[in-house]
């Protein structure tokens, strides 16, 4: 662990908030950094920078501890912060720091218009708003009138240290490059002071020991927070699984109900099918009975037809016999009157519609 902390101390740069605090305690460095951040203010001098100054807005309120806090000759208040990790709460964090800094700008009995201006400045090792800007300046605006700035004396400035856009002036860019440990011109006086100050800080045994103790404490806190977060994650996962189980249970119950409904529907359809089968069988029997009846009727009709045909056959035979007898008598009568055979045949042909062969048969018998 000691080797790890020693290595961490040796590798730590301005992006480490502890190193940043100790370096920014240097009066000249702090003054020059503020001048580069806010060149339009033409800051001439500042109070000695105070690091880790703590403010409490109320006895039971959350206290705020500033990394670097100072004021200038005009009474402007400055809070300079190094934000290492993105906890996704930067906007509300700034609001709280600004509130604490602004409280210092109001003296008891002083009119509001005489309140000092307050500047909260954050150097972030990440893009604080994920909008791909190198520098963010925040003021209050009126909805619908975005160009109108509310002059309440509060200004928030955030730097996206990893950004490579170079949207700031070269002097400010040089300071950001030092924080990000990028290559920078050695001729910049501030860069020279920063490196010298870093050497002084790293040689300070008291600060090194304090850094290690603080790192151990932060590591313990981080481990504790990780355990808490892991516990919360597991709790949430457990709750999620319970909700998922309840959802699945409800889904199972719904499926059971759906299955029962389908079963009932199936049973209803089976009964309906059985009823239709019974109706079908009844109709088949009725049709079979009708067919049998029709067949019986046909048989009866066939029998009657046969009887009629038999009668007709007998009647035909009787008529034929009568006709034969009549023709025979007709022939005999004509012969008695002396009519010759040829004339008789002509008479028979005219009166009985017989063929020559049939007429001939009467004379051959």
């Amino acid at each position: 662990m000691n080797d790890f902390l020693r290595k961490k101390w040796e590798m730590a740069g301005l992006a480490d908030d502890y190193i940043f605090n100790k370096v920014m305690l240097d009066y000249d460095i702090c003054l020059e950094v503020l001048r580069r951040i806010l060149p339009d203010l033409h800051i001439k001098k500042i109070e000695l920078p105070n690091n880790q100054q703590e403010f409490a807005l109320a006895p039971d309120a959350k206290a705020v501890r500033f990394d670097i806090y100072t004021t200038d000759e005009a009474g402007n208040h400055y809070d300079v912060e190094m934000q290492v990790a993105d906890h996704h709460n930067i906007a509300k964090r700034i609001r709280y720091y600004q509130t604490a800094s602004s409280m210092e700008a109001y003296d008891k009995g002083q009119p509001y218009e005489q309140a000092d201006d307050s500047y909260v400045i954050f150097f972030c090792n990440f893009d604080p708003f994920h909008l791909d800007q190198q520098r963010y300046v925040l003021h209050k605006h009126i909805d619908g009138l975005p160009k109108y700035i509310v002059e309440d004396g509060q200004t928030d400035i955030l730097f996206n240290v990893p950004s490579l856009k170079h949207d700031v002036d070269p002097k400010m860019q040089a300071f950001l490059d030092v924080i990000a440990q990028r290559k920078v011109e050695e001729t910049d006086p501030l860069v020279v002071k920063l490196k010298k100050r870093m050497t002084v800080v790293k040689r300070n045994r008291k600060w090194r020991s304090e850094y290690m103790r603080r790192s151990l404490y932060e590591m313990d806190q981080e481990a504790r927070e990780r355990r808490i977060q892991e516990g919360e994650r597991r709790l949430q996962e457990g709750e999620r699984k319970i909700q998922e189980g309840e959802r699945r249970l409800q889904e199972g119950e719904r499926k059971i109900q759906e299955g029962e409904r389908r079963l009932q529907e199936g049973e209803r359809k089976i009964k309906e099918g059985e009823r239709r089968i019974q109706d079908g069988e009844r109709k088949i029997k009725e049709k079979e009975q009708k067919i049998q009846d029709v067949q019986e009727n046909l048989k009866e009709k066939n029998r009657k037809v046969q009887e009629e045909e038999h009668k007709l056959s007998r009647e035909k035979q009787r008529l034929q016999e009568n006709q034969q007898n009549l023709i025979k008598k007709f022939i005999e009568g004509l012969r008695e009157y002396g009519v010759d055979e040829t004339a008789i045949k002509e008479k028979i042909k005219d009166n009985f519609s017989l063929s020559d062969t049939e007429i001939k048969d009467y004379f051959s018998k």
Side-chain angles (χ1 to χ4, degrees):
M1 179 62 71
N2 288 336
D3 289 340
F4 171 77
L5 292 175
R6 190 178 300 107
K7 187 70 174 178
K8 183 181 178 183
W9 169 257
E10 291 173 357
M11 296 298 294
L14 276 179
D16 185 287
D17 56 347
Y18 184 88
I19 301 298
F20 182 83
N21 291 340
K22 299 308 179 187
V23 170
M24 289 291 290
L25 281 175
D26 182 276
Y27 178 90
D28 293 332
I29 290 175
C30 186
L31 177 59
E32 179 59 23
V33 169
L34 289 175
R35 283 173 173 171
R36 294 190 180 195
I37 297 170
L38 297 160
D40 294 340
L41 294 185
H42 304 290
I43 303 172
K44 294 182 176 60
K45 63 179 180 177
I46 57 173
E47 295 291 329
L48 284 174
N50 183 4
N51 76 319
Q52 300 299 316
Q53 180 166 336
E54 187 172 294
F55 291 94
L57 302 181
D60 57 346
K62 177 182 176 68
V64 58
R65 187 185 299 272
F66 295 142
D67 283 355
I68 294 295
Y69 185 80
T70 187
T71 57
D72 65 11
E73 76 282 357
N76 297 317
H77 295 247
Y78 304 97
D79 167 34
V80 185
E81 303 285 331
M82 172 58 65
Q83 190 66 28
V84 178
D86 185 3
H87 298 293
H88 308 287
N89 60 359
I90 193 71
K92 291 189 176 181
R93 190 181 186 92
I94 292 171
R95 185 182 72 177
Y96 197 69
Y97 277 65
Q98 184 62 259
T99 300
S101 179
S102 296
M103 291 297 291
E104 288 293 301
Y106 289 86
D107 292 334
K108 186 175 181 180
Q110 182 184 30
Y112 289 115
E113 63 272 12
Q114 295 181 11
D116 300 326
D117 291 344
S118 173
Y119 297 85
V120 173
I121 302 161
F122 270 71
F123 290 95
C124 302
N125 288 321
F126 52 89
D127 188 341
F129 298 109
H130 305 285
L131 297 174
D132 195 30
Q133 298 295 308
Q134 188 176 25
R135 169 177 168 152
Y136 298 93
V137 180
L138 311 185
H139 291 106
K140 288 181 181 177
H141 296 270
I142 297 175
D143 289 349
L145 300 171
K147 293 184 179 181
Y148 183 83
I149 296 176
V150 178
E151 300 292 346
D152 59 355
Q154 296 183 359
T155 302
D156 302 320
I157 303 173
L158 298 92
F159 290 96
N160 175 12
V161 175
S163 175
L164 300 176
K165 297 192 73 170
H166 291 73
D167 289 338
V168 297
D169 64 73
K171 288 186 175 182
M172 190 67 233
Q173 183 63 51
F175 182 62
L176 295 175
D177 289 339
V178 173
I179 297 176
Q181 296 183 338
R182 292 188 287 262
K183 186 176 180 181
V184 64
E185 293 292 335
E186 300 287 345
T187 56
D188 188 324
L190 177 60
V191 174
V192 175
K193 289 181 181 179
L194 287 170
K195 292 191 174 182
K196 288 183 179 179
R197 179 63 179 175
M198 287 280 291
T199 302
V200 172
V201 171
K202 291 297 183 73
R203 288 178 179 175
N204 190 304
R205 293 183 178 181
K206 178 182 177 182
W207 287 348
R208 184 179 67 177
S209 297
E210 184 180 8
Y211 179 86
M212 291 184 177
R213 287 194 302 272
R214 179 184 169 187
S215 295
L216 280 173
Y217 174 77
E218 288 178 348
M219 289 167 64
D220 289 340
Q221 288 296 105
E222 288 176 359
R224 179 173 176 272
E225 287 180 3
R226 283 197 300 271
R227 288 195 296 270
I228 291 173
Q229 290 174 356
E230 178 64 17
E232 291 176 346
R233 186 191 66 78
R234 289 183 178 181
L235 179 61
Q236 291 175 353
E237 181 67 15
E239 291 176 347
R240 187 191 65 78
K241 287 182 178 180
I242 290 172
Q243 292 175 352
E244 178 66 15
E246 291 176 346
R247 186 191 66 78
R248 289 185 177 180
L249 179 61
Q250 292 174 353
E251 180 67 14
E253 291 175 347
R254 187 191 65 76
K255 287 183 178 180
I256 290 172
Q257 292 174 353
E258 178 65 15
E260 291 176 346
R261 186 191 65 77
R262 289 185 178 181
L263 179 61
Q264 292 173 354
E265 181 67 15
E267 291 175 347
R268 186 190 64 77
K269 288 182 178 180
I270 290 171
K271 290 180 180 179
E272 178 67 18
E274 291 174 347
R275 186 188 64 77
R276 289 183 178 180
I277 290 171
Q278 291 173 355
D279 289 344
E281 290 175 345
R282 180 182 57 77
K283 289 179 180 179
I284 289 171
K285 288 179 181 179
E286 290 177 353
K287 287 183 179 180
E288 288 176 346
Q289 183 61 44
K290 287 181 179 180
I291 290 170
Q292 289 177 357
D293 293 343
V294 170
Q295 288 175 344
E296 291 295 327
N297 291 333
L298 287 174
K299 286 180 181 179
E300 181 65 22
K301 287 180 180 181
N302 286 334
R303 186 184 63 77
K304 289 181 179 181
V305 168
Q306 289 174 356
E307 288 179 355
E308 291 294 325
E309 287 178 346
H310 184 65
K311 287 180 180 180
L312 289 173
S313 178
R314 290 203 308 266
E315 182 65 24
K316 182 178 180 182
Q317 186 178 358
R318 187 182 64 78
L319 289 173
Q320 286 176 349
E321 290 176 353
N322 290 338
Q323 183 176 336
Q324 288 174 357
N325 292 330
L326 179 62
I327 291 172
K328 286 178 180 180
K329 289 179 179 181
F330 183 73
I331 292 172
E332 289 176 358
L334 289 177
R335 280 177 176 175
E336 289 179 357
Y337 284 101
V339 179
D340 63 12
E341 186 175 326
T342 301
I344 293 171
K345 288 180 179 179
E346 288 295 331
K347 291 288 184 180
I348 294 171
K349 191 174 185 179
D350 292 338
N351 288 286
F352 295 100
S353 300
L354 295 176
S355 65
D356 292 341
T357 303
E358 290 174 332
I359 294 171
K360 187 178 180 181
D361 287 339
Y362 282 95
F363 289 95
S364 62
K365 293 178 182 181

